[in-house]
Amino acid sequence: MMTTVRQRRVGKGTEAAEDQPSEETNVKPDGKIPPDPPGGKVWNILSITVGGIVAISVGLLTSVYVATLHENDLWFSNIKEVEREISFRTECGLYYSYYKQMIQAASIQQGIVNYKQYLEPVYFYIYTLFGLQAVYVIALYVTSWLLSGTWLSGLLAACWYITNRVDTTRVEFTIPLRENWALPFFAVQIAAITYLLRTHLQPAQERLTLMAVFIATFLFSLTWQFNQFMMLIQALALFILDCLDMLPTAKVTWLYIIQVSGLLLVCVLQFFNSMILGSLIISFNISVLIARTIQKNLKKGGFLSRLGKLILHVLLVLCLTLLINKFIKKILNLESDEHIFKFLKAKFGFGATRDFDANLYLCEEAFGLLPLNTFSRLSSTLLFYVYGFVLFLLTVAAVIVAFRNLSGSNQVQLKAKMEEYTVTLKPDAAYSLVHTVLFGCLALSTMRMKYLWTSHMCVFASFGLCSTELWKLVLKCLHLYTSQRTQVIKYSVPIITLLYISFKFWPGIMDELSELREFYDPDTVELMNWIKSNTPNTAVFAGSMQLLAGVKLCTGRTLTNHPHYEDKNLRERTKQIYQIYAKRSPGDVYGILRSFGTDYVILEDSICYERRHSRGCRLRDLLDVANGHIMDGLGENEPDLKPSLYPRFCEEIKKNLPSYTMHFTRVFQNKTFHVYKLAKHK
């Protein structure tokens, strides 16, 4: 946010130069920007140099910090390779398995012999991801610096990111997750957009910035399956601000084009991934561009006229989006993301569902509402308090600016009682405001998405705390404004906050770094070793998605299903494989497993006798409901559910009854797992 001054000549009492050239540059009557005095230019160069060094240092320290936490938690350097691989839980193991498969290929193997003696492949992998954390923190730092004009803001953002690590990242214990690859590039993209939205950019600067936005958008889209939904929210932010005339339309158009072109390039590189073509973001962006050409003079007229045009424009864009998306999915016969929309429909109360895939998401804590204790943790570092303060002030400013823009009064001279100042909002600050509001709504509704919000919360709060314009507005409201007082508060408050954070959390960070643990999962290690030693390399295994990802990574055996859940056929196959935990006859289960070429099936007691979820959300309950059977245990059942004719397969098979042993032979057992070999009947 900023206060603009009526055109006047520079005289006494003008504010001191910022740490970085700000957009509040005094403009001569002829429209030219006066050159900085020699002393100011030297100071700017020195400040940018120091700020850059601090940014790189903080980024590298963050990388070392999370790497050390990972080592201390697992004693990663001392455990066996199979234990290292098992530590990549659930889908993490699946993602790492493709890297392992690639480096073991003959064509790649010759190329990596030079570095293998110096660095194990697993360390190359995890160090790359920890290195991306440095990129992530530097991008957050730079975004805050660009918004506020001082690198002190960037330092505060980085410190908040580190001290709120529980709520800003989970990289140290879920290393290979796709979001850990993607979010650093998303942060770089936001930093580039923040710079792009500045005024007075030279054409060459604008072209380079657009290229940076495209590269970051492409890499973000390439590395995360949820990219289309994140960019849809980003496109909505751009659309809202463009409609309210708070962003330059030409730049917004370029950003729409970059989003679509980046996704289309990813589609090609992912062997024409049809899910991308059917994404809402592509349909939405095309609809916006079409609607613009249909509706002329959208930003002309009085308040009521513009409001009416705006409502019509929004309705036109929404209708076009739905029509185009429906058309694309119909033509290409796309159903890859239907489970997501079923999940959203049920989550927000538009009818209950018995769909197995949707309920699988609904019952996971990660896809539930954001827990309230998140805010108490964020408040302990003062982050949430500062964020709320900045959010309130900028929201008020945005409402004033939006109303003025729609009423066409931004060119009219204000009354004398307003003195010579009027509240305005810089384009980059306006984007940051709407971005944090929309991603905040996403985080509140879905806990797993909080990492997109909390990291930007650090940027937004630190920018506000170091903003000359925000403190100027506060002091003016209190009738305490002077230029010198604004500068003192702008620097003293962030420094005091940094000192508070340092004194309060430094001892805890040191204790955390000194705490040593060790990986321990003997049952899974025993299972993986048995599979490698006692089954042929061509054996096909069935079981839970999470466990099979580890089987693929540790043993290289073929799987019937795995955690990649964005394919309809694979989702249906997983549901069929999971009948091993349902109430089905041994003949039915055997027929299902053999239809997928299964040689061995792994049963887990932790699923068969699950107690982690409440009744109705256990995997066996979801299967019972989907199959039309009543659930186990005390409690209500829907009236149309019927008792099953058969007992639960995973329990009954352990009794070694003839009807089961004719199809299944137990070949391995420990406290957690039971492995059965399927008979090969003629």
Side-chain angles (χ1 to χ4, degrees), residues 84-101:
R84 290 176 178 176
E85 293 174 346
I86 292 171
S87 72
F88 297 143
R89 300 286 187 182
T90 64
E91 67 262 43
C92 298
L94 176 69
Y95 306 145
Y96 180 76
S97 71
Y98 294 115
Y99 165 77
K100 179 182 177 182
Q101 185 177 346

Side-chain angles (χ1 to χ4, degrees), residues 319-351:
C319 291
L320 281 174
T321 300
L322 294 176
L323 286 173
I324 293 173
N325 191 255
K326 189 79 172 177
F327 176 76
I328 292 174
K329 288 186 174 180
K330 189 75 174 176
I331 292 296
L332 299 178
N333 193 26
L334 300 180
E335 296 177 312
S336 299
D337 56 358
E338 64 176 7
H339 65 298
I340 296 176
F341 293 103
K342 289 180 181 178
F343 158 71
L344 293 174
K345 182 180 176 182
K347 181 178 178 65
F348 294 110
F350 296 104

Side-chain angles (χ1 to χ4, degrees), residues 200-257:
H200 307 304
L201 285 184
Q202 298 298 321
Q205 291 176 310
E206 191 167 313
R207 285 194 294 270
L208 287 173
T209 308
L210 285 170
M211 181 59 70
V213 173
F214 173 77
I215 293 172
T217 301
F218 166 69
L219 292 173
F220 169 65
S221 303
L222 188 65
T223 49
W224 198 18
Q225 80 276 25
F226 290 136
N227 62 75
Q228 53 173 295
F229 303 103
M230 304 308 109
M231 286 203 289
L232 177 62
I233 293 175
Q234 190 177 61
L236 286 172
L238 296 170
F239 177 71
I240 291 168
L241 292 168
D242 184 33
C243 288
L244 298 176
D245 208 14
M246 297 170 73
L247 292 183
T249 300
K251 292 182 179 180
V252 172
T253 302
W254 272 113
L255 291 173
Y256 286 145
I257 294 171

Side-chain angles (χ1 to χ4, degrees), residues 489-630:
I489 293 176
K490 170 185 172 177
Y491 290 106
S492 60
V493 173
I495 290 173
I496 291 171
T497 305
L498 281 169
L499 290 174
Y500 168 80
I501 293 172
S502 301
F503 281 113
K504 182 175 182 179
F505 293 97
W506 182 258
I509 290 175
M510 291 296 100
D511 290 341
E512 193 176 35
L513 290 173
S514 62
E515 188 175 352
L516 302 178
R517 300 185 184 92
E518 183 178 359
F519 174 85
Y520 185 74
D521 188 356
D523 289 349
T524 308
V525 171
E526 184 185 12
L527 171 67
M528 299 305 172
N529 287 333
W530 181 87
I531 292 174
K532 285 194 289 187
S533 303
N534 296 277
T535 64
N537 294 335
T538 56
V540 179
F541 278 80
S544 69
M545 294 184 291
Q546 296 81 0
L547 179 63
L548 290 185
V551 171
K552 175 176 172 58
L553 170 59
C554 297
T555 71
R557 301 301 189 265
T558 304
L559 313 179
T560 56
N561 57 307
H562 58 66
H564 184 71
Y565 222 56
E566 284 73 52
D567 181 84
K568 184 182 180 181
N569 292 329
L570 190 56
R571 290 197 300 271
E572 183 58 33
R573 174 180 287 210
T574 296
K575 180 183 175 182
Q576 291 299 312
I577 295 294
Y578 277 9
Q579 297 303 310
I580 58 179
Y581 296 109
K583 298 172 182 176
R584 299 290 294 270
S585 70
D588 286 347
V589 174
Y590 176 81
I592 291 171
L593 294 177
R594 285 303 299 162
S595 70
F596 298 120
T598 307
D599 296 313
Y600 297 87
V601 60
I602 307 174
L603 296 174
E604 301 169 64
D605 287 346
S606 59
I607 297 178
C608 190
Y609 307 107
E610 180 188 359
R611 296 175 181 173
R612 184 169 67 94
H613 292 103
S614 60
R615 184 178 184 269
C617 268
R618 301 169 299 190
L619 179 62
R620 61 180 186 267
D621 297 334
L622 302 183
L623 291 164
D624 289 342
V625 171
N627 293 339
H629 300 151
I630 61 173

Side-chain angles (χ1 to χ4, degrees), residues 59 62-64 66-67 70 88 92 95-96 99 121-137 161 169-185 223:
T62 304
S63 178
V64 172
V66 293
H70 174 257
F88 297 143
C92 298
Y95 306 145
Y96 180 76
Y99 165 77
V122 66
Y123 276 105
F124 176 80
Y125 185 89
I126 66 173
Y127 286 168
T128 298
L129 271 160
F130 291 143
L132 280 175
Q133 279 295 296
V135 174
Y136 195 6
V137 172
Y161 178 85
T169 183
R170 50 179 180 163
V171 66
E172 76 274 11
F173 60 90
T174 57
I175 297 175
L177 275 188
R178 285 177 282 187
E179 69 189 52
N180 294 330
W181 291 95
L183 293 186
F185 299 120
T223 49

